[in-house]
């Protein structure tokens, strides 16, 4: 039998560029995205695209110019946000998004620095950085996308996996209780703590626009479906069925006590803006205490 | 049921009419827009796109009110709405809104 193979055509850079140019700009939010990066790598039914859309929509509604926004992200599925946005973004090493963003926020206080990362990156590998960033009250907006597992590496159990949830490393059910992220952020000293799911995109846009005005460490947890890594072993179904579960089981209660916002497997999800307080941020305290004292001492010496 | 007059502030308000634009080649068929469209304007089409998913299609072109939920909830940047016109409120519109979610009306019910 004779087989007919297709002729090997050398890669045509010009037509590839033309295809990227034609595909870019079809959507009104495409001006915030790098050309040729869409379609992104996230699975069908994943909620990360919703969080990215809401972030772009918040910038657009607030009217912040693109060169005043910075996105720093860590490693993981959520870390790829930095590669898709057409602005000053930085993709740091695993867990070190907050140290990088801390330096950036201290050197350039006029920028809106947003840390976009997943739960594993921010709370397992970068857990110390987050609590100390919140303690110092550095002017950062942290958006933590929580999908209850390490999605990119194959669905391993992470610091937010609830008790009795099945993942690829806990096939008989997880024995460790997961972190209550809003409570942890509040206890560490964040001035704005909110939790939404991807079923609440309007509330999420509103929450992100509020954090642009806040001075200090703000923390938004977004619960996103992960149909491949977390939904399938736990029989939560596709991304759409997880969204239906959020619709039924989420309860919006603004100003609720974050210590009661714990998430159990297939349990109720408490959503809302939990904490919104004022506290002097790091630069303000530093300028008022250390710099003022040092200048006063210099003046005393000169006189 | 009918109303004997229009609401007194009906001239201050208008009903926006939007146009739904679907970029079919970007769709990955997650179905969020179809499930959560408040007016039920979308359904899964029978046709495939280049990736082999079923993109949504518009059932009723007059139903969209440009709320923009599909734009926000689409993870793929594949759907958006545009404002076509903001029309004045007439008596039929009020009739339509009050009967939309009644048990007898099957126009906006999902199959």
């Amino acid at each position: 039998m004779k087989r007919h193979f297709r002729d090997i055509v050398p890669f045509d850079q010009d037509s590839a560029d033309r295809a990227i140019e034609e595909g870019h700009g079809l959507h009104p939010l495409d001006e915030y995205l790098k050309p040729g990066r869409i379609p992104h790598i996230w699975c069908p039914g994943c909620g990360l695209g919703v969080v990215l859309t809401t972030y772009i929509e918040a910038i657009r509604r607030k009217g912040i110019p693109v060169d005043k926004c910075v996105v720093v992200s860590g490693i993981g599925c959520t870390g790829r946000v930095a590669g898709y946005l057409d602005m000053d973004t930085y993709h740091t090493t695993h867990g070190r998004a907050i140290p990088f963003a801390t330096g950036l926020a201290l050197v350039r206080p006029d920028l809106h620095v947003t840390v976009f990362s997943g739960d594993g990156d921010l709370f397992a590998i970068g857990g110390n950085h987050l609590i100390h960033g919140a303690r110092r009250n550095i002017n950062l907006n942290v958006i933590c996308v929580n999908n209850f597992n390490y999605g990119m590496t194959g669905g391993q159990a992470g610091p937010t996996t609830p008790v009795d949830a099945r993942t690829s490393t806990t096939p008989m059910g997880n024995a460790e209780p997961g972190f209550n992220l809003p409570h942890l952020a509040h206890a560490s000293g964040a001035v704005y703590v909110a939790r939404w799911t991807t079923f609440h995109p309007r509330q999420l846009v509103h929450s992100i626009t509020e954090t642009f005005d806040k001075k200090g460490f703000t923390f938004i947890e977004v619960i996103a479906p992960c149909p491949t890594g977390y939904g399938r072993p736990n029989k939560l179904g596709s991304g759409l069925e997880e969204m239906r579960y959020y619709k039924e089981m989420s309860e919006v209660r603004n100003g609720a006590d974050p210590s009661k916002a714990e998430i159990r497997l297939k349990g109720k999800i408490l959503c809302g803006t939990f904490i919104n307080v004022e506290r002097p941020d790091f630069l303000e305290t530093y300028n008022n205490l250390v710099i003022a004292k040092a200048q006063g001492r210099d003046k005393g010496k000169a006189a | 049921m009918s109303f004997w007059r229009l609401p007194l502030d009906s001239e201050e308000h208008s009903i926006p009419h939007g146009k739904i634009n679907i970029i079919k080649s970007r769709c990955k068929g997650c179905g969020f827009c179809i499930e959560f469209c408040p007016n039920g304007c979308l359904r899964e089409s029978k046709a495939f796109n280049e990736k082999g998913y079923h993109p949504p299609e518009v059932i009723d072109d007059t139903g969209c009110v440009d709320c923009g939920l599909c734009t926000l909830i689409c993870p793929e940047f594949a759907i958006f709405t545009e404002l076509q016109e903001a029309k004045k409120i007439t008596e039929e519109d009020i009739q339509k809104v009050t009967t939309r979610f009644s048990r007898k009306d099957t126009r906006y019910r999902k199959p």
Side-chain angles (χ1 to χ4, degrees):
Chain A
M1 198 180 91
K2 197 181 179 189
R3 287 191 178 178
H4 293 281
F5 292 107
R6 207 167 45 178
D7 292 337
I8 295 169
V9 184
F11 180 67
D12 187 0
Q13 185 67 49
D14 288 343
S15 67
D17 289 348
R18 223 176 301 128
I20 285 172
E21 206 163 287
E22 276 168 21
H24 189 71
L26 295 171
H27 195 275
L29 299 182
D30 270 2
E31 56 177 313
Y32 295 93
L33 299 169
K34 284 195 182 114
R37 300 292 173 96
I38 299 289
H40 48 61
I41 62 148
W42 297 321
C43 310
C46 175
L48 281 165
V50 184
V51 188
L52 178 57
T53 317
T54 49
Y55 175 70
I56 293 173
E57 181 69 19
I59 297 173
R60 205 177 63 83
R61 269 191 211 175
K62 201 79 189 145
I64 301 171
V66 175
D67 47 352
K68 289 281 170 207
C69 288
V70 181
V71 170
V72 183
S73 71
I75 298 293
C77 286
T78 324
R80 301 195 66 100
V81 163
Y84 295 127
L85 283 167
D86 192 10
M87 52 176 73
D88 290 334
T89 58
Y90 196 79
H91 195 176
T92 59
T93 45
H94 204 350
R96 314 294 178 237
I98 287 183
F100 183 87
T102 302
L104 194 58
L106 294 183
V107 174
R108 293 288 302 274
D110 57 319
L111 297 179
H112 295 278
V113 185
T114 306
V115 175
F116 228 113
S117 213
D119 56 299
D121 185 75
L122 279 178
F123 283 90
I125 300 98
N128 255 310
H129 301 304
L130 186 122
I131 58 174
H132 290 286
R135 174 178 64 87
R136 295 183 188 118
N137 205 15
I138 291 148
N139 193 11
L140 291 180
N141 304 332
V142 179
I143 300 173
C144 172
V145 183
N146 182 2
N147 54 11
F148 304 110
N149 67 343
Y150 289 107
M152 182 173 265
T153 48
Q156 288 86 357
T160 50
T161 312
V163 183
D164 204 23
R166 287 176 60 184
T167 60
S168 59
T169 47
T170 56
M172 301 290 166
N174 186 18
E176 309 157 1
F179 267 138
N180 180 357
L181 304 187
H183 189 37
L184 181 61
H186 168 52
S188 313
V191 291
Y192 184 98
V193 179
R195 177 198 271 158
W196 298 107
T197 71
T198 48
F199 173 66
H200 304 96
R202 284 190 203 283
Q203 291 92 325
L204 188 55
V205 170
H206 181 71
S207 229
I208 296 172
T209 45
E210 272 186 337
T211 58
F212 285 135
D213 292 334
K214 274 310 259 187
K215 206 88 177 136
F217 193 93
T218 65
F219 178 79
I220 301 175
E221 182 194 2
V222 188
I223 292 168
C226 181
T228 326
Y230 183 75
R232 198 173 36 164
N234 289 300
K235 309 267 190 298
L236 292 175
S238 63
L240 183 59
E241 277 165 53
E242 275 189 66
M243 290 283 267
R244 282 192 201 122
Y245 154 65
Y246 298 153
K247 187 180 175 183
E248 282 168 23
M249 297 298 280
S250 63
E251 185 186 329
V252 178
R253 212 188 298 159
N254 289 319
D257 187 4
S259 65
K260 296 187 176 77
E262 203 180 338
I263 297 176
R264 291 197 175 78
L265 183 65
K266 293 173 191 170
K268 196 191 266 181
I269 300 170
L270 203 61
C271 296
T273 308
F274 299 135
I275 305 291
N276 192 352
V277 291
E278 294 292 334
R279 194 157 75 87
D281 72 324
F282 174 76
L283 264 183
E284 196 185 326
T285 325
Y286 188 74
N287 285 336
N288 289 350
L289 279 174
V290 182
I291 301 284
K293 237 177 234 175
Q295 279 171 350
R297 201 166 57 187
D298 287 353
K299 270 178 198 163
K301 266 182 196 167
Chain B
M1 197 177 99
S2 65
F3 298 93
W4 62 273
R5 63 161 172 78
L6 279 172
L8 289 173
D9 61 344
S10 67
E11 290 203 349
E12 295 164 21
H13 299 278
S14 58
I15 299 176
H17 177 222
K19 186 184 171 222
I20 306 171
N21 297 288
I22 301 163
I23 308 165
K24 286 188 177 159
S25 59
R26 287 189 185 179
C27 181
K28 283 185 194 165
C30 64
F32 291 176
C33 53
I34 301 167
E35 176 82 16
F36 298 115
C37 176
N39 277 8
C41 297
L42 297 164
R43 70 166 172 224
E44 198 175 65
S45 67
K46 293 240 164 64
F48 292 96
N49 64 0
E50 293 96 318
K51 296 192 197 108
Y53 297 109
H54 295 286
E57 65 178 4
V58 182
I59 307 172
D60 182 9
D61 207 19
T62 57
C64 178
V65 291
D66 191 29
C67 72
L69 186 76
C70 51
T71 319
L72 278 182
I73 217 163
C74 177
E76 309 290 332
F77 300 91
I79 187 167
F80 63 99
T81 56
E82 276 175 319
L83 183 67
Q84 292 284 92
E85 53 167 350
K87 61 179 181 187
K88 287 194 168 168
I89 297 174
T90 58
E91 207 162 315
E92 290 131 45
D93 294 324
I94 291 171
Q95 208 72 41
K96 193 176 155 189
V97 169
T98 47
T99 55
R100 173 169 294 170
F101 297 108
S102 69
R103 217 173 283 170
K104 286 172 191 165
D105 187 36
T106 53
R107 281 174 302 172
Y108 294 92
R109 196 167 295 166
K110 289 203 174 88

